[in-house]
Amino acid sequence: VGMHAVLDWFDRHKGEHGLPERLPYWLNADWCPQWDRGQVPGWRDQPSAIICSQYLRALEQVAQLEEALGNTAQSQALQSEASQVRQAIHRLFWSPEQGLFADCPDHASFSQYANAWVVCAAVADPAQGARMLERFPHDPVLAPASFFGMHFVMQALARLGDRTSVV
């Protein structure tokens, strides 16, 4: 019941692209030194790649739990929604020019943390992942992840097959 209440809360805050956006309260994503109070630039007016990727992972994990409990129809509905969310994240945040995922759809900023979460949510295809590794996580255009965020950066590097990077 609790996990569905959380998903329902995010569902009520979906915007025109089918993604959570303009969330109330304080949206602390990571303690990046370049972000005001840990908030992704632009988060008040548009979706955040970080939050949308976390929402995607939550949908998939709840779908797995529902499947394990024998609730196949509910699991399939959540998997369908996750597929739509994944496509929207890809469409809105991928920057072919940068070869990275932007923090928000305006593509005004890029961060290690957003790119890490998009990879951890399995949004990037293998070709994009290879392209991302040309710049992620070392490029100075990427706002750095904090100590907390480095866990996800390392997970993303492992998923991308890079076992040699030193962050």
Side-chain angles (χ1 to χ4, degrees):
V1 175
M3 60 190 176
H4 286 286
V6 172
L7 292 179
D8 290 345
W9 185 87
F10 281 96
D11 194 50
R12 288 192 308 272
H13 290 89
K14 285 184 179 174
E16 65 181 280
H17 303 290
L19 299 173
E21 62 180 89
R22 299 177 187 186
L23 300 175
Y25 315 116
W26 176 36
L27 182 68
N28 178 297
D30 188 31
W31 286 112
C32 172
Q34 297 172 356
W35 295 349
D36 178 37
R37 299 181 334 135
Q39 301 169 112
V40 177
W43 74 275
R44 288 194 187 277
D45 303 319
Q46 53 192 323
S48 156
I50 297 166
I51 298 301
C52 293
S53 296
Q54 291 170 342
Y55 177 65
L56 170 59
R57 288 295 298 133
L59 286 169
E60 292 175 329
Q61 290 174 344
V62 173
Q64 289 173 352
L65 288 170
E66 291 292 0
E67 185 65 35
L69 293 170
N71 301 328
T72 304
Q74 197 157 21
S75 175
Q76 289 173 343
L78 289 165
Q79 290 171 11
S80 175
E81 183 177 357
S83 177
Q84 293 169 6
V85 167
R86 177 175 278 107
Q87 291 170 18
I89 292 170
H90 188 274
R91 183 178 62 254
L92 291 175
F93 299 102
W94 175 248
S95 170
E97 298 80 23
Q98 296 290 330
L100 296 164
F101 286 86
D103 292 325
C104 292
D106 66 4
H107 292 204
S109 65
F110 295 80
S111 67
Q112 288 178 339
Y113 199 56
N115 278 275
W117 259 104
V118 168
V119 169
C120 289
V123 174
D125 65 37
Q128 289 168 325
R131 186 145 177 240
M132 289 173 72
L133 279 174
E134 295 171 12
R135 299 182 64 190
F136 173 77
H138 301 293
D139 195 305
V141 76
L142 294 167
S146 71
F147 177 75
F148 168 76
M150 276 299 146
H151 168 78
F152 298 100
V153 171
M154 294 300 182
Q155 272 193 334
L157 288 170
R159 286 177 182 253
L160 292 171
D162 184 347
R163 308 254 188 243
T164 62
S165 283
V166 177
V167 179

